[in-house]
Amino acid sequence: MVELKSTAAIEAMAAAGAVVARALRATRDAAALGVTPRELDTVAHTVIRDAGALPVFLHYHPGFAPTPFPAVICASVNDVIVHGIPSDTPLRNGDLVSIDCGAELDGWVGDAAISFTVGTPHPGDAALIDTTAAALAAGIAAAVPGNRLGDIAAAIGQVGRAAGYGIPRGFGGHGIGRRMHEDPSVPNDGQPGRGMPLREGLVLALEPMFCAGGRDSYYTAADGWGLHTTDGSRAAHVEHTVAITADGPRILTTT
């Protein structure tokens, strides 16, 4: 069931989203050569806890996973597309890192992700990250009353396909509110003019994820969580929680 949020609910979600934005900024600032993803997880957890919020990823257990997620953030490095479990492996020069984070505040959830490089970027990394961010911006611009879900999917997918990137099958954005994952699902590729009409009060987490090698296929790590590119190419992932309003899309995961 799709729930439309009231103005008050959207304001409450913006407060939760601001916590997520601060946690992501803190992890980005802390990321450096020799720092481990597990240390970045601690940084994010501290920000969320100090804000009086709860980390929604910690102990999250969807049906596809064999075990609950053991961390506050997803830390996906290089060929890991999404859902990477933070490890004790120090970050190295040139690593491409994607951090996904969610927080619940006063019963409402925010969810966002960023991608960045540590040290000297590998060739193509800047273009991959910038294109993924451009796709998110295109998806957000299409999130207006009167459009359809397919218009968001098509806007995101057109940017990725034009750059020759792969788009992992079966993964994309989602509704969000009192729970992290709500209806509807929002693909990262599709046909415009199709799908559910977009209405004022709908809140979506939009999250393009692109693979530099151009393949849509992936495999799941032995831990049951991390998704890896099948060709070993790098991946980027960015995300914002967005409310559809009469005045246009409102990004809720900012400060």
Side-chain angles (χ1 to χ4, degrees), residues 1-5 148-150 152 172-177 179-187 195-199 201-207 242 244:
M1 183 178 69
V2 175
E3 177 191 8
L4 301 179
K5 276 68 177 180
R148 292 178 175 269
L149 281 177
I152 296 176
H174 50 88
I176 185 171
R179 294 176 292 112
M180 180 167 56
H181 290 120
E182 297 183 352
D183 291 332
S185 295
V186 189
M196 186 187 80
L198 304 180
R199 296 173 57 191
L202 181 63
V203 181
L204 304 170
L206 305 181
E207 49 180 324
V242 180
I244 296 172

Side-chain angles (χ1 to χ4, degrees), residues 12-66:
M13 292 188 69
V19 175
V20 173
R22 292 198 299 271
L24 287 173
R25 184 171 61 244
T27 59
R28 176 65 184 90
D29 291 345
L33 302 183
V35 174
T36 70
R38 193 183 300 273
E39 289 172 325
L40 298 182
D41 189 73
T42 299
V43 169
H45 201 172
T46 299
V47 172
I48 292 170
R49 183 185 62 240
D50 289 352
L54 298 173
V56 293
F57 290 7
L58 186 62
H59 307 313
Y60 180 61
H61 195 179
F64 67 79

Side-chain angles (χ1 to χ4, degrees), residues 2 13 38 44 64 70 80 82 85 93 105-106 156 158 172 183 188 190 198:
V2 175
M13 292 188 69
R38 193 183 300 273
F64 67 79
V80 183
V82 286
I85 295 175
N93 187 45
L105 181 67
D106 297 328
I156 292 172
Q158 285 167 5
D183 291 332
N188 282 329
L198 304 180

Side-chain angles (χ1 to χ4, degrees), residues 6 12 17 19-20 22 40-41 52 74 95 120 131 134 148 153 157 162-163 169 188-189 192 196 220 226 236 239 252:
S6 66
V19 175
V20 173
R22 292 198 299 271
L40 298 182
D41 189 73
C74 296
D95 278 347
T120 304
T131 302
R148 292 178 175 269
R169 301 188 191 101
N188 282 329
D189 199 8
M196 186 187 80
T220 304
E239 179 181 16
L252 303 182

Side-chain angles (χ1 to χ4, degrees), residues 93-115:
N93 187 45
D95 278 347
L96 195 166
V97 183
S98 298
I99 303 292
D100 194 355
C101 182
E104 178 186 330
L105 181 67
D106 297 328
W108 296 97
V109 177
D111 186 10
I114 57 173
S115 287

